[in-house]
Each structure stands twice: as structure tokens, then as C-alpha cells.
Amino acid sequence: RAKHSGRSTFAWYTSDMDADAQKRKEIEEGLEKALRLNQFQILYQPQYSLSDNKLKGYESLIRWHHPTKGTISPELFIPVAEDCGLIEDIGDWVLFNACHEAAGWEDKSLRVAVNVSAAQFKPQETERKVAQALAESGLAPERLEIEITESLLIANTDAVVETLNKIREMGVSIAMDDFGTGYSSLSYLSRFPFDKIKIDRTFIRTLGQETSTDAIVTAIIGLGRSLDVQITAEGVENMDQVILLRAAGCDLVQGYLYGRPGQVSDAPSVHVGKMGPNNAAPDLLYESES
Ligand code: C2E
Ligand code: MG
Ligand code: MG
Ligand code: MG
């Protein structure tokens, strides 16, 4: 009996892997096409200063509009792109287009943040591409922010830190994304002068509901203050979170409460709280929930 169940488990497991591999292959082939056929789009999610509710900039978030499957989430295709090497071309596309689009925004004080994944980061090449994107678009370097994650700093730290410093010397700011989820990491904070730390939304989600989360978020914000690093809270969805973040002295907020990823013209330059009953997030303004 044991043998039998072992075998059937194995069989089930393989067919599942086949389906997985098949799906990845499909995505991979689709991605090559997507680049050629211009099926990608950048949405922009607003970031507000918490103290005065003023719009400070946007994070660029890629979307893939598949001709038959509809819009595909980056959570699904970015990991595949990282594995098959297409992340470099996709990443270049985002960097150049985000810079071009931001250069055309009416308000020239607004920043644009671009996610650069560890798999796409190649020390000298990344530095050259950032410089090229700025030169070609005419975007002021101070308006560009590069978001990296802790995973980038694990391997090859010296070369990465050197490149980040060079990019920073251009005037571009560097943010650490998803802080607290990686292999933290406090040592990275002493090895590289980040301009910004983004607290991962898994911490923000349970803010006000768990004493431990409240303590961690408050501590990260305090750390930012002592290190003179700005702190952004990701995934802010309700007023309870805002109240706690304000009390803790958080600098910037980003989340559905303030605006979903969308068109830049849709985000007001000052956020006015227009919460519904129970401080529910505003209606889905730009992008439907997946
Ligand atoms: P991320 O860089 O941490 O981006 C924030 C994600 O949180 C976005 O998901 C955003 O839509 C979502 N989000 C923002 N506010 C809220 C909220 O209040 N509630 C909830 N539940 N979610 C919120 P998105 O756009 O699906 O992107 C997912 C991830 O895909 C990004 O996480 C990033 O790691 C990656 N990604 C997206 N665009 C790019 C890109 O152009 N290049 C690279 N390398 N990665 C990208
Ligand atoms: Mg990000
Ligand atoms: Mg993030
Ligand atoms: Mg994330």
C-alpha cells in the first residue's frame, strides 16, 4: 500500500511539474513576442508625503496586455523573465520608457521610481544604461529613483555597492524595496547609503492588529530617522494604518488608499481623504483588483 501511494504521489507530482513547466514555457515565448509587439505598458502608482499629503512621485509598475489572456501580473511574468534572461530587455524597456514619460510630465518636481531586479543588475552595464536613459530622455537625475531589493546585495556586494555609489553620484536616488522580507540585512544599511527604505507591505497589512508588527514598523521608521534615510510605507490601505504611520514619523506613503497604479493625470497633487464608511479604501479608480 505504501508503495502504491508513493507511486501515485510521484505520478501526481510529475504531471504537476509538467503543467508548471509548460506554463512557464508559454509565458517565456509570450514575453519575447510581447517585447516585439509592444504589449507592455507602465502604470504609475502615486507616492505621497505623509506630513502634508502632497504628491512626491510615482513608482513605475509594468503590465503585460496579452492579446488573448488579458492583463498579466508582473508577479507572474517577472520571475519567468528573470529565469530566462529576458529581464534585461524588459528592464531596459521600462527604464527608458519611464524616464521618457516622466520627462514629459507637467510637474517637473515629481520623481519616478523604477524597479531593477537583481537578475537584471550588471554592475557596469546598469550604470551605463542609467546614464544613457537620463541623457536620451533629458530627465533630471534627481527625478529618477532606482528600487533594488536586498537579494541584490547578497552576491557580489563590493561591485554592486560600487555601482550603486556611481549611480548615486549622478544624482539618482537609490531605494531599498520590500524591506524586511529578504535576508536582512542591517549590515547592508551600513555598507551603502540608501536614500530610501520601503517597508514591505506584509508589515503594513497587519499594522494596528499585531503588537509585534507595530513594534517592528516603528523600529524601522526610527532606524530611518537615525540613519537619515527616508521611509516609505507600501500597501497603505486604510486610515488606521495612516494614523499609526503618522505617529511613528513615517515620511512617505504608497498604497490603494492613496491611489492604485494608473495614469499620472489621475492622481491629485494633494491627497484629500475621501474615505468611505469604516475608512474603506476609495473605489477602484484605475485598476481592478486581481
Ligand atoms: P513592488 O516593487 O514591491 O511593487 C509594489 C506592488 O504592490 C505593486 O504590485 C503594487 O500594485 C502593489 N500595491 C501597491 N499598493 C498596494 C495596496 O495598497 N495593497 C495591495 N494589496 N497591493 C498594493 P504589482 O504592480 O503587481 O507588482 C508586483 C511586483 O512586480 C513589484 O513589487 C515588483 O517586484 C515587480 N515589478 C513590477 N514592475 C516591475 C518592473 O518594471 N521591473 C521589475 N524588475 N519588477 C517589476
Ligand atoms: Mg518596487
Ligand atoms: Mg515593494
Ligand atoms: Mg514587492
Side-chain angles (χ1 to χ4, degrees):
R1 196 180 176 271
K3 198 178 174 189
H4 172 78
S5 84
R7 233 153 103 203
S8 68
T9 303
F10 179 71
W12 170 80
Y13 189 59
T14 21
S15 68
D16 202 50
M17 291 211 322
D18 284 349
D20 234 52
Q22 181 59 37
K23 196 173 169 197
R24 288 176 80 84
K25 201 171 150 240
E26 227 175 90
I27 293 176
E28 192 179 320
E29 285 165 3
L31 284 173
E32 284 169 18
K33 251 196 192 161
L35 271 167
R36 272 185 284 120
L37 302 180
N38 251 318
Q39 292 169 354
F40 292 120
Q41 182 196 11
I42 302 173
L43 293 185
Y44 295 95
Q45 186 176 32
Q47 302 174 322
Y48 286 86
S49 152
L50 191 50
S51 60
D52 57 10
N53 287 326
K54 278 195 185 142
L55 182 64
K56 293 294 172 183
Y58 298 88
E59 176 174 8
S60 41
L61 295 160
I62 192 170
R63 294 295 179 266
W64 175 13
H65 301 293
H66 191 281
T68 56
K69 293 184 168 65
T71 303
I72 302 176
S73 160
E75 310 246 28
L76 206 73
F77 71 82
I78 290 288
V80 177
E82 287 173 346
D83 285 351
C84 72
L86 280 170
I87 190 64
E88 270 194 70
D89 288 343
I90 295 172
D92 291 350
W93 184 89
V94 174
L95 176 65
F96 281 81
N97 281 282
C99 286
H100 272 285
E101 290 181 19
W105 294 345
E106 210 169 304
D107 186 341
K108 305 289 187 224
S109 73
L110 298 175
R111 281 221 169 100
V112 65
V114 174
N115 291 285
V116 172
S117 86
Q120 110 192 47
F121 196 99
K122 304 265 152 64
Q124 277 102 22
E125 223 172 296
T126 301
E127 182 195 333
R128 184 177 56 75
K129 278 171 181 167
V130 168
Q132 192 187 342
L134 290 170
E136 282 181 14
S137 64
L139 185 74
E142 292 70 29
R143 295 183 59 199
L144 178 63
E145 184 163 275
I146 300 293
E147 292 192 7
I148 61 154
T149 55
E150 289 162 295
S151 58
L152 176 64
L153 293 163
I154 292 170
N156 206 13
T157 313
D158 290 344
V160 168
V161 165
E162 196 183 312
T163 301
L164 290 176
N165 273 317
K166 289 202 177 127
I167 293 174
R168 204 162 174 260
E169 280 160 20
M170 295 178 202
V172 175
S173 53
I174 309 285
M176 178 178 274
D177 201 2
D178 302 343
F179 184 74
T181 55
Y183 303 81
S184 312
S185 75
L186 296 181
S187 68
Y188 299 136
L189 297 183
S190 64
R191 292 185 72 172
F192 181 76
F194 286 94
D195 298 281
K196 207 172 271 177
I197 292 170
K198 300 184 76 179
I199 307 176
D200 193 73
R201 70 182 143 94
T202 52
F203 293 103
I204 307 305
R205 193 173 54 217
T206 50
L207 203 57
Q209 295 162 30
E210 286 177 4
T211 338
S212 57
T213 309
D214 294 4
I216 289 168
V217 169
T218 305
I220 298 174
I221 293 169
L223 188 68
R225 174 128 313 156
S226 344
L227 293 174
D228 203 21
V229 178
Q230 283 208 310
I231 303 287
T232 304
E234 294 191 317
V236 177
E237 296 185 353
N238 62 57
M239 271 316 282
D240 294 342
Q241 294 161 338
V242 172
I243 289 163
L244 280 155
L245 290 167
R246 246 198 205 121
C250 183
D251 301 292
L252 296 149
V253 279
Q254 177 183 346
Y256 294 171
L257 179 67
Y258 290 87
R260 284 180 180 259
Q263 310 296 319
V264 296
S265 53
D266 292 339
S269 57
V270 177
H271 175 79
V272 282
K274 47 179 173 190
M275 270 65 69
N278 308 320
N279 295 328
D283 287 344
L284 311 187
L285 295 175
Y286 316 119
E287 189 179 53
S288 59
E289 208 146 4
S290 52

